[in-house]
Amino acid sequence: MNLNPGIGNSPVATAGVSVIRSKRELRAALSEGRREGRTIGLVPTMGYLHAGHLSLLSAARAECDVVVMSLFVNPTQFGPGEDLDRYPRDEDRDLRLATEAGVDFVYAPAVAEVYPEGFSAQVEVGGNLTAVLDGEPERRGPAHFRGVTTIVAKLFNTVAPDIAYFGQKDAQQAAVIRRMVRDLDFPVRIEVLPTVREADGLAMSSRNAYLDEDARERATALSRALATAAGAAAESLPAALAAARAELAAAAVEPEYLEARDAESLETVTELNGRPVLIAVAAPVGGARLIDNVLIRPGAAAAPQEGE
Ligand code: AMP
């Protein structure tokens, strides 16, 4: 028996939420609910929770009998020179917020539990989906998405959720995960929820913690640029992107990319074509690499502040 709260492999109750560190304990904790036919919802996170994460937890709480949140800063999705070491972490605060959100189990494994000695398997979605935008070699590269799909596949195998929740904020990640689930027949429903924003439009992100006052102000240019692009897209996509670029330039923000893509295939599009179009941006601002996007649905007035 483990008498040391938070240490070892036994689930630890933190006023309502059980913190679990090992796959074995997690499977055991979920087995009764599964046997009784309760629906299990999974919300994968890297922690440092904000209102975007909380919206996923709230949807999971409303729709599922058992809610599992994973809390794991996944090293394999960070490139060399990226911010793995300084990625913000505050487990106590995350556990408090997860408790308030009604989460049943927080799965917070150590790196060695997820990637034991000799770990050498990978799950990869090939082709265009992971070779464009964030997946281009001069940006984060396809290794980033291999890291994402491998950890998400492992979480699906460990938790076996009925429904898993992701944010539209990471639109390419959501498209890649949908494709992985379809192609590999994971028996899970994927829910993608709208981007949650600060009052001034900035998409919530754990990385916003890196922004000082000046950078925080300049960062609002991303959502402004997307709003401009969305408003002008019906007339001409290239002109809409040019107007968005001007909006970024006015705030001295140099984008890594600002592009219009088919929302499902991520093929480049030059005009609205009756299918959902994603306008996506990534830009370094004050030491943070920020991403944001707006989805333009055919026939719907663009609503960039709602993100989806
Ligand atoms: P992260 O902890 O950044 O890996 O994010 C965990 C999940 O929360 C992912 O599915 C993200 O897409 C989602 N997420 C992050 N930021 C937001 C946001 N501002 N609005 C909605 N979902 C978000």
Side-chain angles (χ1 to χ4, degrees), residues 221-246:
L222 272 71
S223 56
R224 265 202 317 281
L226 291 172
T228 299
E235 208 139 308
S236 154
L237 261 186
L241 291 176
R245 232 167 249 120

mmCIF file with all atom_site columns, all heavy atoms in Angstrom, residues 221-246:
data_model
loop_
_atom_site.group_PDB
_atom_site.id
_atom_site.type_symbol
_atom_site.label_atom_id
_atom_site.label_alt_id
_atom_site.label_comp_id
_atom_site.label_asym_id
_atom_site.label_entity_id
_atom_site.label_seq_id
_atom_site.pdbx_PDB_ins_code
_atom_site.Cartn_x
_atom_site.Cartn_y
_atom_site.Cartn_z
_atom_site.occupancy
_atom_site.B_iso_or_equiv
_atom_site.pdbx_formal_charge
_atom_site.auth_seq_id
_atom_site.auth_comp_id
_atom_site.auth_asym_id
_atom_site.auth_atom_id
_atom_site.pdbx_PDB_model_num
ATOM 1   N N   . ALA A 1 221 ? -2.803  40.926 -33.161 1.00 0.00 ? 221 ALA A N   1
ATOM 2   C CA  . ALA A 1 221 ? -2.828  41.090 -34.624 1.00 0.00 ? 221 ALA A CA  1
ATOM 3   C C   . ALA A 1 221 ? -3.226  39.786 -35.323 1.00 0.00 ? 221 ALA A C   1
ATOM 4   O O   . ALA A 1 221 ? -3.795  39.820 -36.415 1.00 0.00 ? 221 ALA A O   1
ATOM 5   C CB  . ALA A 1 221 ? -1.459  41.567 -35.126 1.00 0.00 ? 221 ALA A CB  1
ATOM 6   N N   . LEU A 1 222 ? -2.938  38.635 -34.709 1.00 0.00 ? 222 LEU A N   1
ATOM 7   C CA  . LEU A 1 222 ? -3.265  37.360 -35.379 1.00 0.00 ? 222 LEU A CA  1
ATOM 8   C C   . LEU A 1 222 ? -4.773  37.217 -35.574 1.00 0.00 ? 222 LEU A C   1
ATOM 9   O O   . LEU A 1 222 ? -5.241  36.951 -36.683 1.00 0.00 ? 222 LEU A O   1
ATOM 10  C CB  . LEU A 1 222 ? -2.727  36.159 -34.578 1.00 0.00 ? 222 LEU A CB  1
ATOM 11  C CG  . LEU A 1 222 ? -1.294  35.729 -34.900 1.00 0.00 ? 222 LEU A CG  1
ATOM 12  C CD1 . LEU A 1 222 ? -0.276  36.731 -34.386 1.00 0.00 ? 222 LEU A CD1 1
ATOM 13  C CD2 . LEU A 1 222 ? -0.999  34.347 -34.338 1.00 0.00 ? 222 LEU A CD2 1
ATOM 14  N N   . SER A 1 223 ? -5.533  37.404 -34.494 1.00 0.00 ? 223 SER A N   1
ATOM 15  C CA  . SER A 1 223 ? -6.989  37.222 -34.631 1.00 0.00 ? 223 SER A CA  1
ATOM 16  C C   . SER A 1 223 ? -7.590  38.356 -35.460 1.00 0.00 ? 223 SER A C   1
ATOM 17  O O   . SER A 1 223 ? -8.554  38.140 -36.207 1.00 0.00 ? 223 SER A O   1
ATOM 18  C CB  . SER A 1 223 ? -7.668  37.121 -33.263 1.00 0.00 ? 223 SER A CB  1
ATOM 19  O OG  . SER A 1 223 ? -7.373  38.252 -32.479 1.00 0.00 ? 223 SER A OG  1
ATOM 20  N N   . ARG A 1 224 ? -7.000  39.574 -35.348 1.00 0.00 ? 224 ARG A N   1
ATOM 21  C CA  . ARG A 1 224 ? -7.484  40.682 -36.202 1.00 0.00 ? 224 ARG A CA  1
ATOM 22  C C   . ARG A 1 224 ? -7.263  40.346 -37.671 1.00 0.00 ? 224 ARG A C   1
ATOM 23  O O   . ARG A 1 224 ? -8.125  40.561 -38.523 1.00 0.00 ? 224 ARG A O   1
ATOM 24  C CB  . ARG A 1 224 ? -6.747  41.980 -35.865 1.00 0.00 ? 224 ARG A CB  1
ATOM 25  C CG  . ARG A 1 224 ? -7.470  42.872 -34.883 1.00 0.00 ? 224 ARG A CG  1
ATOM 26  C CD  . ARG A 1 224 ? -7.017  44.323 -34.982 1.00 0.00 ? 224 ARG A CD  1
ATOM 27  N NE  . ARG A 1 224 ? -5.580  44.502 -35.101 1.00 0.00 ? 224 ARG A NE  1
ATOM 28  C CZ  . ARG A 1 224 ? -4.725  44.443 -34.078 1.00 0.00 ? 224 ARG A CZ  1
ATOM 29  N NH1 . ARG A 1 224 ? -5.162  44.192 -32.855 1.00 0.00 ? 224 ARG A NH1 1
ATOM 30  N NH2 . ARG A 1 224 ? -3.429  44.612 -34.269 1.00 0.00 ? 224 ARG A NH2 1
ATOM 31  N N   . ALA A 1 225 ? -6.081  39.820 -37.983 1.00 0.00 ? 225 ALA A N   1
ATOM 32  C CA  . ALA A 1 225 ? -5.758  39.485 -39.376 1.00 0.00 ? 225 ALA A CA  1
ATOM 33  C C   . ALA A 1 225 ? -6.717  38.411 -39.904 1.00 0.00 ? 225 ALA A C   1
ATOM 34  O O   . ALA A 1 225 ? -7.196  38.490 -41.042 1.00 0.00 ? 225 ALA A O   1
ATOM 35  C CB  . ALA A 1 225 ? -4.313  38.998 -39.472 1.00 0.00 ? 225 ALA A CB  1
ATOM 36  N N   . LEU A 1 226 ? -7.020  37.422 -39.051 1.00 0.00 ? 226 LEU A N   1
ATOM 37  C CA  . LEU A 1 226 ? -7.937  36.355 -39.481 1.00 0.00 ? 226 LEU A CA  1
ATOM 38  C C   . LEU A 1 226 ? -9.345  36.902 -39.685 1.00 0.00 ? 226 LEU A C   1
ATOM 39  O O   . LEU A 1 226 ? -10.045 36.507 -40.623 1.00 0.00 ? 226 LEU A O   1
ATOM 40  C CB  . LEU A 1 226 ? -7.949  35.226 -38.444 1.00 0.00 ? 226 LEU A CB  1
ATOM 41  C CG  . LEU A 1 226 ? -6.657  34.417 -38.352 1.00 0.00 ? 226 LEU A CG  1
ATOM 42  C CD1 . LEU A 1 226 ? -6.716  33.463 -37.161 1.00 0.00 ? 226 LEU A CD1 1
ATOM 43  C CD2 . LEU A 1 226 ? -6.383  33.650 -39.639 1.00 0.00 ? 226 LEU A CD2 1
ATOM 44  N N   . ALA A 1 227 ? -9.752  37.841 -38.823 1.00 0.00 ? 227 ALA A N   1
ATOM 45  C CA  . ALA A 1 227 ? -11.083 38.443 -38.967 1.00 0.00 ? 227 ALA A CA  1
ATOM 46  C C   . ALA A 1 227 ? -11.152 39.218 -40.283 1.00 0.00 ? 227 ALA A C   1
ATOM 47  O O   . ALA A 1 227 ? -12.141 39.132 -41.025 1.00 0.00 ? 227 ALA A O   1
ATOM 48  C CB  . ALA A 1 227 ? -11.370 39.359 -37.785 1.00 0.00 ? 227 ALA A CB  1
ATOM 49  N N   . THR A 1 228 ? -10.088 39.939 -40.569 1.00 0.00 ? 228 THR A N   1
ATOM 50  C CA  . THR A 1 228 ? -10.024 40.687 -41.835 1.00 0.00 ? 228 THR A CA  1
ATOM 51  C C   . THR A 1 228 ? -10.117 39.724 -43.011 1.00 0.00 ? 228 THR A C   1
ATOM 52  O O   . THR A 1 228 ? -10.887 39.932 -43.955 1.00 0.00 ? 228 THR A O   1
ATOM 53  C CB  . THR A 1 228 ? -8.686  41.465 -41.918 1.00 0.00 ? 228 THR A CB  1
ATOM 54  O OG1 . THR A 1 228 ? -8.656  42.380 -40.828 1.00 0.00 ? 228 THR A OG1 1
ATOM 55  C CG2 . THR A 1 228 ? -8.547  42.211 -43.226 1.00 0.00 ? 228 THR A CG2 1
ATOM 56  N N   . ALA A 1 229 ? -9.340  38.656 -42.961 1.00 0.00 ? 229 ALA A N   1
ATOM 57  C CA  . ALA A 1 229 ? -9.320  37.684 -44.063 1.00 0.00 ? 229 ALA A CA  1
ATOM 58  C C   . ALA A 1 229 ? -10.688 37.031 -44.223 1.00 0.00 ? 229 ALA A C   1
ATOM 59  O O   . ALA A 1 229 ? -11.194 36.891 -45.342 1.00 0.00 ? 229 ALA A O   1
ATOM 60  C CB  . ALA A 1 229 ? -8.257  36.623 -43.804 1.00 0.00 ? 229 ALA A CB  1
ATOM 61  N N   . ALA A 1 230 ? -11.297 36.654 -43.104 1.00 0.00 ? 230 ALA A N   1
ATOM 62  C CA  . ALA A 1 230 ? -12.594 35.971 -43.173 1.00 0.00 ? 230 ALA A CA  1
ATOM 63  C C   . ALA A 1 230 ? -13.650 36.889 -43.779 1.00 0.00 ? 230 ALA A C   1
ATOM 64  O O   . ALA A 1 230 ? -14.485 36.461 -44.577 1.00 0.00 ? 230 ALA A O   1
ATOM 65  C CB  . ALA A 1 230 ? -13.020 35.515 -41.780 1.00 0.00 ? 230 ALA A CB  1
ATOM 66  N N   . GLY A 1 231 ? -13.569 38.184 -43.421 1.00 0.00 ? 231 GLY A N   1
ATOM 67  C CA  . GLY A 1 231 ? -14.549 39.138 -43.917 1.00 0.00 ? 231 GLY A CA  1
ATOM 68  C C   . GLY A 1 231 ? -14.443 39.357 -45.415 1.00 0.00 ? 231 GLY A C   1
ATOM 69  O O   . GLY A 1 231 ? -15.431 39.653 -46.082 1.00 0.00 ? 231 GLY A O   1
ATOM 70  N N   . ALA A 1 232 ? -13.226 39.211 -45.957 1.00 0.00 ? 232 ALA A N   1
ATOM 71  C CA  . ALA A 1 232 ? -13.007 39.524 -47.375 1.00 0.00 ? 232 ALA A CA  1
ATOM 72  C C   . ALA A 1 232 ? -12.915 38.265 -48.240 1.00 0.00 ? 232 ALA A C   1
ATOM 73  O O   . ALA A 1 232 ? -12.775 38.354 -49.460 1.00 0.00 ? 232 ALA A O   1
ATOM 74  C CB  . ALA A 1 232 ? -11.716 40.335 -47.509 1.00 0.00 ? 232 ALA A CB  1
ATOM 75  N N   . ALA A 1 233 ? -12.996 37.082 -47.616 1.00 0.00 ? 233 ALA A N   1
ATOM 76  C CA  . ALA A 1 233 ? -12.714 35.834 -48.343 1.00 0.00 ? 233 ALA A CA  1
ATOM 77  C C   . ALA A 1 233 ? -13.679 35.559 -49.482 1.00 0.00 ? 233 ALA A C   1
ATOM 78  O O   . ALA A 1 233 ? -13.286 35.032 -50.528 1.00 0.00 ? 233 ALA A O   1
ATOM 79  C CB  . ALA A 1 233 ? -12.712 34.656 -47.366 1.00 0.00 ? 233 ALA A CB  1
ATOM 80  N N   . ALA A 1 234 ? -14.946 35.921 -49.286 1.00 0.00 ? 234 ALA A N   1
ATOM 81  C CA  . ALA A 1 234 ? -15.950 35.588 -50.302 1.00 0.00 ? 234 ALA A CA  1
ATOM 82  C C   . ALA A 1 234 ? -15.636 36.313 -51.612 1.00 0.00 ? 234 ALA A C   1
ATOM 83  O O   . ALA A 1 234 ? -15.896 35.795 -52.700 1.00 0.00 ? 234 ALA A O   1
ATOM 84  C CB  . ALA A 1 234 ? -17.336 35.955 -49.799 1.00 0.00 ? 234 ALA A CB  1
ATOM 85  N N   . GLU A 1 235 ? -15.080 37.506 -51.495 1.00 0.00 ? 235 GLU A N   1
ATOM 86  C CA  . GLU A 1 235 ? -14.780 38.297 -52.696 1.00 0.00 ? 235 GLU A CA  1
ATOM 87  C C   . GLU A 1 235 ? -13.553 37.751 -53.421 1.00 0.00 ? 235 GLU A C   1
ATOM 88  O O   . GLU A 1 235 ? -13.600 37.468 -54.604 1.00 0.00 ? 235 GLU A O   1
ATOM 89  C CB  . GLU A 1 235 ? -14.522 39.742 -52.286 1.00 0.00 ? 235 GLU A CB  1
ATOM 90  C CG  . GLU A 1 235 ? -14.872 40.720 -53.365 1.00 0.00 ? 235 GLU A CG  1
ATOM 91  C CD  . GLU A 1 235 ? -15.573 41.927 -52.757 1.00 0.00 ? 235 GLU A CD  1
ATOM 92  O OE1 . GLU A 1 235 ? -16.559 41.728 -52.018 1.00 0.00 ? 235 GLU A OE1 1
ATOM 93  O OE2 . GLU A 1 235 ? -15.090 43.026 -52.999 1.00 0.00 ? 235 GLU A OE2 1
ATOM 94  N N   . SER A 1 236 ? -12.454 37.609 -52.690 1.00 0.00 ? 236 SER A N   1
ATOM 95  C CA  . SER A 1 236 ? -11.219 37.091 -53.293 1.00 0.00 ? 236 SER A CA  1
ATOM 96  C C   . SER A 1 236 ? -10.302 36.582 -52.181 1.00 0.00 ? 236 SER A C   1
ATOM 97  O O   . SER A 1 236 ? -9.899  37.359 -51.301 1.00 0.00 ? 236 SER A O   1
ATOM 98  C CB  . SER A 1 236 ? -10.515 38.205 -54.090 1.00 0.00 ? 236 SER A CB  1
ATOM 99  O OG  . SER A 1 236 ? -9.126  37.951 -54.152 1.00 0.00 ? 236 SER A OG  1
ATOM 100 N N   . LEU A 1 237 ? -9.988  35.305 -52.215 1.00 0.00 ? 237 LEU A N   1
ATOM 101 C CA  . LEU A 1 237 ? -9.120  34.759 -51.158 1.00 0.00 ? 237 LEU A CA  1
ATOM 102 C C   . LEU A 1 237 ? -7.725  35.371 -51.180 1.00 0.00 ? 237 LEU A C   1
ATOM 103 O O   . LEU A 1 237 ? -7.206  35.752 -50.135 1.00 0.00 ? 237 LEU A O   1
ATOM 104 C CB  . LEU A 1 237 ? -9.019  33.234 -51.280 1.00 0.00 ? 237 LEU A CB  1
ATOM 105 C CG  . LEU A 1 237 ? -9.904  32.387 -50.367 1.00 0.00 ? 237 LEU A CG  1
ATOM 106 C CD1 . LEU A 1 237 ? -9.549  30.914 -50.519 1.00 0.00 ? 237 LEU A CD1 1
ATOM 107 C CD2 . LEU A 1 237 ? -9.769  32.812 -48.917 1.00 0.00 ? 237 LEU A CD2 1
ATOM 108 N N   . PRO A 1 238 ? -7.080  35.498 -52.378 1.00 0.00 ? 238 PRO A N   1
ATOM 109 C CA  . PRO A 1 238 ? -5.753  36.114 -52.390 1.00 0.00 ? 238 PRO A CA  1
ATOM 110 C C   . PRO A 1 238 ? -5.772  37.540 -51.833 1.00 0.00 ? 238 PRO A C   1
ATOM 111 O O   . PRO A 1 238 ? -4.884  37.916 -51.050 1.00 0.00 ? 238 PRO A O   1
ATOM 112 C CB  . PRO A 1 238 ? -5.363  36.104 -53.872 1.00 0.00 ? 238 PRO A CB  1
ATOM 113 C CG  . PRO A 1 238 ? -6.159  34.974 -54.455 1.00 0.00 ? 238 PRO A CG  1
ATOM 114 C CD  . PRO A 1 238 ? -7.445  34.947 -53.697 1.00 0.00 ? 238 PRO A CD  1
ATOM 115 N N   . ALA A 1 239 ? -6.784  38.326 -52.185 1.00 0.00 ? 239 ALA A N   1
ATOM 116 C CA  . ALA A 1 239 ? -6.862  39.696 -51.663 1.00 0.00 ? 239 ALA A CA  1
ATOM 117 C C   . ALA A 1 239 ? -7.101  39.671 -50.148 1.00 0.00 ? 239 ALA A C   1
ATOM 118 O O   . ALA A 1 239 ? -6.551  40.492 -49.398 1.00 0.00 ? 239 ALA A O   1
ATOM 119 C CB  . ALA A 1 239 ? -7.985  40.464 -52.361 1.00 0.00 ? 239 ALA A CB  1
ATOM 120 N N   . ALA A 1 240 ? -7.902  38.697 -49.691 1.00 0.00 ? 240 ALA A N   1
ATOM 121 C CA  . ALA A 1 240 ? -8.179  38.578 -48.254 1.00 0.00 ? 240 ALA A CA  1
ATOM 122 C C   . ALA A 1 240 ? -6.888  38.264 -47.490 1.00 0.00 ? 240 ALA A C   1
ATOM 123 O O   . ALA A 1 240 ? -6.630  38.823 -46.423 1.00 0.00 ? 240 ALA A O   1
ATOM 124 C CB  . ALA A 1 240 ? -9.219  37.478 -48.018 1.00 0.00 ? 240 ALA A CB  1
ATOM 125 N N   . LEU A 1 241 ? -6.082  37.373 -48.065 1.00 0.00 ? 241 LEU A N   1
ATOM 126 C CA  . LEU A 1 241 ? -4.814  37.020 -47.402 1.00 0.00 ? 241 LEU A CA  1
ATOM 127 C C   . LEU A 1 241 ? -3.864  38.212 -47.409 1.00 0.00 ? 241 LEU A C   1
ATOM 128 O O   . LEU A 1 241 ? -3.132  38.443 -46.433 1.00 0.00 ? 241 LEU A O   1
ATOM 129 C CB  . LEU A 1 241 ? -4.165  35.816 -48.095 1.00 0.00 ? 241 LEU A CB  1
ATOM 130 C CG  . LEU A 1 241 ? -4.916  34.485 -47.922 1.00 0.00 ? 241 LEU A CG  1
ATOM 131 C CD1 . LEU A 1 241 ? -4.251  33.372 -48.730 1.00 0.00 ? 241 LEU A CD1 1
ATOM 132 C CD2 . LEU A 1 241 ? -4.996  34.084 -46.448 1.00 0.00 ? 241 LEU A CD2 1
ATOM 133 N N   . ALA A 1 242 ? -3.863  38.982 -48.498 1.00 0.00 ? 242 ALA A N   1
ATOM 134 C CA  . ALA A 1 242 ? -2.991  40.166 -48.574 1.00 0.00 ? 242 ALA A CA  1
ATOM 135 C C   . ALA A 1 242 ? -3.403  41.185 -47.509 1.00 0.00 ? 242 ALA A C   1
ATOM 136 O O   . ALA A 1 242 ? -2.548  41.782 -46.836 1.00 0.00 ? 242 ALA A O   1
ATOM 137 C CB  . ALA A 1 242 ? -3.061  40.773 -49.970 1.00 0.00 ? 242 ALA A CB  1
ATOM 138 N N   . ALA A 1 243 ? -4.710  41.365 -47.330 1.00 0.00 ? 243 ALA A N   1
ATOM 139 C CA  . ALA A 1 243 ? -5.185  42.317 -46.314 1.00 0.00 ? 243 ALA A CA  1
ATOM 140 C C   . ALA A 1 243 ? -4.785  41.831 -44.921 1.00 0.00 ? 243 ALA A C   1
ATOM 141 O O   . ALA A 1 243 ? -4.399  42.620 -44.049 1.00 0.00 ? 243 ALA A O   1
ATOM 142 C CB  . ALA A 1 243 ? -6.705  42.463 -46.414 1.00 0.00 ? 243 ALA A CB  1
ATOM 143 N N   . ALA A 1 244 ? -4.865  40.517 -44.709 1.00 0.00 ? 244 ALA A N   1
ATOM 144 C CA  . ALA A 1 244 ? -4.476  39.959 -43.409 1.00 0.00 ? 244 ALA A CA  1
ATOM 145 C C   . ALA A 1 244 ? -2.976  40.149 -43.172 1.00 0.00 ? 244 ALA A C   1
ATOM 146 O O   . ALA A 1 244 ? -2.544  40.476 -42.060 1.00 0.00 ? 244 ALA A O   1
ATOM 147 C CB  . ALA A 1 244 ? -4.827  38.477 -43.365 1.00 0.00 ? 244 ALA A CB  1
ATOM 148 N N   . ARG A 1 245 ? -2.197  39.965 -44.236 1.00 0.00 ? 245 ARG A N   1
ATOM 149 C CA  . ARG A 1 245 ? -0.743  40.153 -44.118 1.00 0.00 ? 245 ARG A CA  1
ATOM 150 C C   . ARG A 1 245 ? -0.416  41.592 -43.722 1.00 0.00 ? 245 ARG A C   1
ATOM 151 O O   . ARG A 1 245 ? 0.467   41.836 -42.895 1.00 0.00 ? 245 ARG A O   1
ATOM 152 C CB  . ARG A 1 245 ? -0.065  39.777 -45.447 1.00 0.00 ? 245 ARG A CB  1
ATOM 153 C CG  . ARG A 1 245 ? 1.053   38.800 -45.238 1.00 0.00 ? 245 ARG A CG  1
ATOM 154 C CD  . ARG A 1 245 ? 1.549   38.151 -46.521 1.00 0.00 ? 245 ARG A CD  1
ATOM 155 N NE  . ARG A 1 245 ? 1.181   36.751 -46.529 1.00 0.00 ? 245 ARG A NE  1
ATOM 156 C CZ  . ARG A 1 245 ? 0.425   36.173 -47.441 1.00 0.00 ? 245 ARG A CZ  1
ATOM 157 N NH1 . ARG A 1 245 ? -0.048  36.870 -48.463 1.00 0.00 ? 245 ARG A NH1 1
ATOM 158 N NH2 . ARG A 1 245 ? 0.146   34.887 -47.349 1.00 0.00 ? 245 ARG A NH2 1
ATOM 159 N N   . ALA A 1 246 ? -1.167  42.532 -44.312 1.00 0.00 ? 246 ALA A N   1
ATOM 160 C CA  . ALA A 1 246 ? -0.950  43.951 -43.996 1.00 0.00 ? 246 ALA A CA  1
ATOM 161 C C   . ALA A 1 246 ? -1.274  44.219 -42.527 1.00 0.00 ? 246 ALA A C   1
ATOM 162 O O   . ALA A 1 246 ? -0.576  44.976 -41.842 1.00 0.00 ? 246 ALA A O   1
ATOM 163 C CB  . ALA A 1 246 ? -1.818  44.828 -44.908 1.00 0.00 ? 246 ALA A CB  1
#
